[in-house]
Amino acid sequence: MLIRSLTLATLLAFVGPLFAADDDSPLVKDVGRARPLIVIAPSSVDPVWVNLKKSLEDPANKQGVAQRNIKVYSVLNMFGQLDGKDLGQQDTMALIRSLNLGAGALPKVILLGKDGEKKIESSGAESKSVDLKKIFDTIDQLPAAEKEATVPTPAPVAEVAPVKGVKGAKGKPAKPAKPPEQPDE
């Protein structure tokens, strides 16, 4: 029995990360609700991040970000934030995994639509040309169907009335069956 347990534990330790769900990414919650803008930079003084952050702090741009339902994710030196609030390390890694970016030390700017598809993706020197005006223009040029995309709300579950006349419908619950005994190996 001990050998089986150790074998199972070892197998799960190696295979478990392979079965990690893609839906653990914080981006899953935004599909149909918001447009994630993801900025990945090697440090907090990277020019790409500094320029975007400065323009995000402008009051006129704040209003434009709110109107277009943009959520700003930043991953700076492997520490993630969502709209200035820290993400946990697991959420940050799940965010990076879900983008399928591969390795690289260059800054990246990615805009996802409400449908979850990449609308802007730039890396390296190309990222320096991405500013909020370009992001706003890209969103404003999207088709109306994407602009109004929302997540469908699930239908309410109707309660099932108990069936009368069925034996065992009322009364005490049955005792659980005793598990069969396993011989020790």
Side-chain angles (χ1 to χ4, degrees), residues 61-70 136:
N61 289 337
K62 281 185 179 182
Q63 183 179 7
V65 167
Q67 287 174 346
R68 292 169 179 87
N69 294 329
I70 298 174
F136 289 167

Side-chain angles (χ1 to χ4, degrees), residues 27 36-40 73 75 95 99 108-112:
L27 297 176
L37 173 64
I38 301 109
V39 181
I40 301 174
Y73 289 88
V75 180
L95 171 72
L99 294 172
K108 295 172 179 48
V109 177
I110 300 162
L111 174 68
L112 300 179

Side-chain angles (χ1 to χ4, degrees), residues 2-73:
L2 180 64
I3 294 172
R4 286 185 197 166
S5 298
L6 288 175
T7 304
L8 181 62
T10 305
L11 179 66
L12 288 176
F14 285 112
V15 180
L18 298 176
F19 290 118
D22 288 336
D23 63 352
D24 62 345
S25 171
L27 297 176
V28 171
K29 298 176 217 159
D30 294 332
V31 173
R33 293 185 177 101
R35 294 180 180 90
L37 173 64
I38 301 109
V39 181
I40 301 174
S43 72
S44 60
V45 294
D46 188 86
V48 172
W49 171 243
V50 171
N51 290 338
L52 272 174
K53 184 177 179 184
K54 189 183 298 182
S55 59
L56 284 168
E57 291 171 352
D58 181 30
N61 289 337
K62 281 185 179 182
Q63 183 179 7
V65 167
Q67 287 174 346
R68 292 169 179 87
N69 294 329
I70 298 174
K71 282 191 171 183
V72 180
Y73 289 88

Side-chain angles (χ1 to χ4, degrees), residues 161-174:
V163 180
K164 292 184 179 182
V166 175
K167 185 176 182 179
K170 286 190 174 183
K172 293 183 186 178

Side-chain angles (χ1 to χ4, degrees), residues 140-161:
D140 293 340
Q141 293 173 2
L142 292 174
E146 200 282 339
K147 287 181 185 178
E148 297 171 4
T150 58
V151 175
T153 56
V157 179
E159 291 186 28
V160 179

